[in-house]
């Protein structure tokens, strides 16, 4: 026992490396989006295909997942009701403009309309023979547009429960995206896997304009004014001017396919979610990226509330993420300060101090008063305790569980100095190996950690190359790691090319100056 105590006293705790903070200009946009620090996760039973907020202003939201549509309360963030009258996978749970009805498609081709007061099925439309991935109400509130994998579009009058017309072979492939015009009830647009976006007029039942993209369409929306269409296909996004019939901007701000596009409540920002696990907020005028959020899994659906108070995201790991703003502390008023000091005065510890007693119970601190905090001696962390016992594998797992890359990199360097890195990595189980590979996928291309992590990555590959093909999870992570490194190498090559171009321009400029 005495020997262990002496070891603990002589043991030097792991020194965490300090990295310089990036110089980010503090703007109003950064400040606003940084307030979304409260996050709640809710596990669901299947992939989240759609999320939509009630446009009537109640801020409740519908999450379409598996064979149900869950309705969430905006305050408690809990499910208030489940619409589960589906016999197969449900798609596109969408509110009517007044929030009184909700319509949703299904994999079996049936579209159901629910009354939100009674939560009962109001209508069941045998719309299509193949899955109906998108359903939208028009501004008339009594008409519904449905699109399907059978490449057809149907227009319904729900007051009579009757199909008004059908446009067969509207596209040459599955129709997966649909948006109705925000002001004109006669206009809607569709996007298909045939790479084409088409705008339709209900009166003529014909396509009035179209434009093509390089990849299958995943999402199309109108701008709040209806003068632009934002379309996402693959990792690219196009902003199309409806009146001029011309491209306003092409954006490639994601590395993988964009799965969701929406405008924020003000209409001044375009928000995109992608399979690269990022949400990015673009300025709708300059198209610059103001902010981004990173998640632990691919993003399958996305929505933001009308008052910009909630950001809801469907993740590929069958979780719903709900981000809300963190409440900021407001300056205390004199009455609040009086209440605090009166409560403190009731404690015996304060009454024992004669200096405090002589000041008076309700005395307020001076403007230049400073509260001194006693520095407490920090004990050893879990990583340090395991490291002291030479339990390197357990310590590595504990370092990864901190989710702090500086701690993990510092721990790896400590093992390297002890010549124990190979010992710690040998014969680890699949769970720990997956954690290591996930960490490397996320951090190996970060300039702050790249030099150390590249050697670390090579060691893992040398040790575990013989087991490739035995575990699907490990194989998927190795493929992702390879993709990340190849993408970084391509980026570095492009930077070197650009550097060469700039050097040529500078040399030419200097020569012209010397000649003149």
């Amino acid at each position: 026992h005495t020997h262990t105590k002496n070891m603990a006293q002589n043991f030097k705790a792991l020194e965490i490396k300090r990295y310089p903070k990036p110089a980010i200009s503090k703007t109003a946009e950064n400040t606003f989006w940084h307030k979304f620090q409260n996050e709640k996760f809710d596990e669901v039973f299947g992939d989240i295909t759609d999320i939509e907020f009630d446009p009537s202003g109640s801020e409740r939201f519908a999450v379409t997942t598996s064979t149900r549509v869950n309705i969430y309360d905006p305050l408690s963030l809990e499910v208030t009701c489940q619409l589960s009258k589906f016999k197969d996978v449900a798609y596109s749970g969408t509110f009517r403009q007044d929030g009184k009805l909700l319509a949703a498609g299904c994999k079996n081709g049936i579209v159901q309309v629910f009354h939100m007061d009674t939560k009962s099925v109001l209508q069941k439309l045998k719309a299509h023979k193949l899955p109906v991935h998108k359903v939208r109400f028009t501004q008339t509130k009594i008409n519904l547009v449905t699109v399907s994998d059978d490449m057809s579009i149907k227009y319904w009058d729900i007051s009579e429960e009757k199909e008004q017309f059908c446009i067969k072979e509207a596209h040459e492939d599955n129709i997966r995206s649909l948006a109705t015009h925000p002001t004109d009830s006669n206009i809607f647009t569709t996007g298909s896997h045939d790479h084409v976006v088409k705008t339709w007029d209900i009166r003529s039942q014909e396509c009035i304009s179209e434009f093509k993209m390089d990849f299958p369409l995943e999402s199309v929306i109108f701008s709040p004014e209806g003068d632009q269409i934002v379309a996402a296909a693959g990792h690219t996004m196009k902003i199309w001017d409806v009146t001029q019939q011309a491209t306003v901007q092409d954006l490639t701000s994601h590395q993988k396919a964009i799965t969701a596009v929406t405008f924020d409540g003000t209409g001044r920002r375009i928000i995109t979610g992608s399979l690269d696990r990022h949400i990015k907020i673009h300025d709708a005028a300059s198209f610059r990226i103001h902010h981004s959020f990173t998640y632990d899994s691919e993003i399958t659906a996305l929505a933001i509330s009308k008052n910009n108070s909630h950001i809801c995201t469907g993740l590929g790991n069958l979780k719903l993420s709900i981000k809300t703003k963190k409440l900021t502390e407001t300056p205390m008023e004199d009455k609040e300060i009086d209440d605090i000091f009166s409560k403190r005065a009731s404690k015996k510890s304060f009454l024992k101090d004669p200096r405090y007693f002589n000041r008076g119970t309700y005395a307020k601190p001076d403007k230049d008063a400073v509260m001194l905090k006693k520095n407490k001696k920090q004990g050893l962390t879990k990583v340090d305790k395991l490291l002291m016992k030479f339990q390197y594998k357990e310590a590595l797992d504990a370092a990864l569980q901190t989710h702090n890359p500086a701690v993990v990199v510092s721990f790896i360097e400590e093992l390297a100095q002890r010549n124990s890195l190979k010992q710690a990595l040998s014969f680890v189980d699949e769970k720990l190996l997956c954690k290591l590979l996930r960490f490397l996928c996320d951090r190996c291309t970060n300039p702050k950690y790249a030099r150390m992590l590249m050697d670390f990555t090579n060691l893992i590959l040398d040790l575990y190359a013989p087991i490739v093909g035995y575990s699907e999870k490990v194989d998927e992570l190795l493929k992702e790691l390879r993709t990340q490194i190849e993408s970084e190498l391509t980026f570095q090559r492009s930077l070197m090319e650009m550097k060469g171009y700039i050097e040529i321009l500078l040399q030419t400029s200097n020569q012209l100056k010397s000649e003149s």
Side-chain angles (χ1 to χ4, degrees), residues 13-25:
L14 181 68
E15 186 176 347
I16 308 302
K17 294 191 70 173
R18 295 180 178 271
Y19 296 93
K21 292 183 178 181
I24 301 174
S25 57

Side-chain angles (χ1 to χ4, degrees), residues 170-171 177 188-200 207-213 215-222 229-233 238 240 245:
H171 285 269
S177 46
F188 65 92
T189 188
T190 56
S192 167
H193 280 184
D194 64 4
H195 303 192
V196 179
V197 177
K198 294 184 177 183
T199 304
W200 305 83
C207 173
I208 56 175
S209 70
E210 66 177 66
F211 61 91
K212 195 166 185 178
M213 298 192 70
F215 301 95
L217 268 296
E218 297 296 339
S219 181
V220 293
I221 56 169
F222 278 100
I229 295 173
V230 181
K238 184 188 287 289
W240 177 265
Q245 294 294 301

Side-chain angles (χ1 to χ4, degrees), residues 58-320:
S58 69
E59 299 303 329
R60 63 181 172 176
F61 52 96
V63 178
T64 310
T65 170
S66 186
T67 57
R68 67 194 70 188
V69 179
N70 294 334
I71 310 299
Y72 284 78
D73 180 79
L75 297 177
S76 66
L77 306 182
E78 299 289 341
V79 177
T80 56
C81 77
Q82 289 185 345
L83 308 176
S84 55
K85 301 291 184 180
F86 299 92
K87 293 183 178 180
D88 211 324
V89 177
Y91 298 110
S92 187
T94 181
F95 288 101
R96 195 169 71 174
Q97 288 79 353
D98 57 8
K100 293 181 178 180
L101 300 181
L102 182 141
C106 186
K107 192 174 181 179
N108 59 11
I110 294 174
V111 175
Q112 297 187 70
V113 181
F114 297 85
H115 197 286
M116 293 310 296
D117 289 338
T118 61
K119 310 299 185 294
S120 60
V121 178
L122 195 64
Q123 292 180 5
K124 189 176 286 190
L125 309 173
K126 294 181 180 179
H128 300 267
K129 294 179 180 179
L130 293 179
V132 179
H133 282 270
K134 288 295 175 183
V135 177
R136 288 291 181 267
F137 286 96
T138 67
Q139 295 300 316
T140 61
K141 298 182 182 179
I142 62 169
N143 295 112
L144 196 67
V145 183
T146 62
V147 297
S148 170
D149 283 354
D150 62 11
M151 301 179 289
S152 68
I153 302 170
K154 290 191 177 183
Y155 185 72
W156 302 82
D157 186 334
I158 58 174
S159 63
E160 299 179 0
E161 199 172 342
K162 184 179 179 181
E163 177 189 320
Q164 296 290 308
F165 63 83
C166 172
I167 303 174
K168 296 181 179 180
E169 297 182 357
H171 285 269
E172 296 178 2
D173 206 334
N174 303 335
I175 307 174
R176 291 294 176 90
S177 46
L178 165 70
T180 52
H181 198 281
T183 56
D184 192 339
S185 60
N186 295 309
I187 303 296
F188 65 92
T189 188
T190 56
S192 167
H193 280 184
D194 64 4
H195 303 192
V196 179
V197 177
K198 294 184 177 183
T199 304
W200 305 83
D201 191 319
I202 290 169
R203 293 162 294 192
S204 63
Q205 302 176 22
E206 293 180 352
C207 173
I208 56 175
S209 70
E210 66 177 66
F211 61 91
K212 195 166 185 178
M213 298 192 70
D214 296 330
F215 301 95
L217 268 296
E218 297 296 339
S219 181
V220 293
I221 56 169
F222 278 100
S223 63
E225 295 79 17
D227 58 340
Q228 292 180 342
I229 295 173
V230 181
H235 66 286
T236 63
M237 182 169 66
K238 184 188 287 289
I239 290 85
W240 177 265
D241 190 296
V242 176
T243 55
Q244 299 293 328
Q245 294 294 301
T247 300
V248 177
Q249 188 75 27
D250 285 314
L251 298 174
T252 54
S253 52
H254 288 276
Q255 293 182 352
K256 294 184 179 180
I258 300 170
T259 53
V261 180
T262 186
F263 278 87
D264 78 323
T266 65
R268 297 197 300 266
R269 306 174 186 96
I270 303 171
I271 305 175
T272 57
S274 167
L275 295 179
D276 63 9
R277 302 184 293 112
H278 287 86
I279 284 178
K280 296 194 177 181
I281 293 100
H282 308 74
D283 189 291
S286 64
F287 307 110
R288 292 179 58 187
I289 297 175
H290 284 313
H291 193 74
S292 66
F293 295 102
T294 305
Y295 291 82
D296 294 332
S297 186
E298 300 86 358
I299 292 161
T300 59
L302 167 68
I304 185 168
S305 61
K306 200 172 182 179
N307 61 0
N308 285 356
S309 61
H310 297 65
I311 300 175
C312 297
T313 311
L315 304 177
N317 58 3
L318 306 185
K319 288 184 180 180
L320 171 70

Side-chain angles (χ1 to χ4, degrees), residues 344-480:
R344 286 184 176 180
S346 64
K347 295 182 180 180
K348 292 181 180 180
S349 58
F350 282 96
L351 293 175
K352 287 179 181 178
D353 190 343
R355 289 175 297 176
Y356 181 83
F357 183 78
N358 292 333
R359 285 182 67 204
T361 305
Y362 299 99
K364 297 176 184 178
D366 299 330
K367 291 182 179 179
D368 55 350
V370 178
M371 181 179 288
L372 297 177
K373 293 183 179 179
K374 186 178 179 181
N375 292 327
K376 294 182 180 179
K377 187 178 179 181
Q378 293 184 352
L380 296 177
T381 64
K382 185 179 179 181
V383 177
D384 290 325
K385 291 176 182 177
L386 293 168
L387 194 59
M388 186 174 65
K389 297 176 183 178
F390 304 103
Q391 297 178 0
Y392 296 139
K393 288 184 179 63
E394 293 80 1
L396 179 58
D397 193 12
L400 290 167
Q401 286 177 16
T402 64
H403 301 290
N404 185 344
V407 173
V408 180
V409 173
S410 301
F411 177 77
I412 292 170
E413 288 191 356
E414 177 67 22
L415 289 182
Q417 289 175 3
R418 295 186 180 201
N419 292 324
S420 303
L421 201 53
K422 193 171 182 179
Q423 178 187 344
L425 292 176
S426 299
F427 305 109
V428 300
D429 58 20
E430 183 186 17
K431 188 176 180 182
L432 181 54
L433 182 58
C434 287
K435 286 183 182 179
L436 284 168
L437 292 174
R438 168 48 57 199
F439 175 79
L440 291 174
C441 289
D442 294 339
R443 307 292 179 181
C444 71
T445 56
N446 189 317
K448 290 192 292 186
Y449 319 119
R451 182 173 295 181
M452 183 67 195
L453 291 183
M454 283 302 169
D455 293 334
F456 184 68
T457 304
N458 286 330
L459 179 57
I460 289 180
L461 294 176
D462 290 340
L463 288 171
Y464 292 98
I467 69 161
V468 172
Y470 286 93
S471 169
E472 290 185 8
K473 292 181 181 178
V474 173
D475 290 349
E476 287 177 6
L477 288 167
L478 286 172
K479 287 178 184 177
E480 184 177 345

